[in-house]
Amino acid sequence: MPYLIRSTNGVVLSDEEQETVFHTKEEAQNQLDFLTLHTTEKWKLIPLAEQNHPNQKG
């Protein structure tokens, strides 16, 4: 299942104009852990439906 990462105050991870989509929970969790260690934001994982998300690549 794909995931997004957003901060609790609305900051989003993006690649140019599209929000970054992580294809596995492990990949998303690794990025979330990195962000938690290196920023002052509080981050959360957001699971997406597997079909028809406009920002999903591949």
Side-chain angles (χ1 to χ4, degrees):
M1 174 183 299
Y3 291 84
L4 299 176
I5 297 176
R6 291 186 182 163
S7 77
T8 56
N9 70 353
V11 174
V12 299
L13 293 181
S14 63
D15 179 20
E16 296 179 20
E17 294 182 13
Q18 290 190 340
E19 197 163 358
T20 302
V21 176
F22 297 91
H23 297 285
T24 66
K25 186 172 185 176
E26 181 180 8
E27 180 184 15
Q29 187 64 53
N30 288 340
Q31 184 64 38
L32 180 91
D33 292 344
F34 178 84
L35 290 166
T36 300
L37 286 173
H38 298 286
T39 68
T40 58
E41 300 286 339
K42 292 184 180 180
W43 299 93
K44 60 184 176 179
L45 291 180
I46 302 171
L48 299 175
E50 291 202 32
Q51 298 177 341
N52 301 325
H53 188 274
N55 294 340
Q56 192 171 349
K57 297 178 185 175

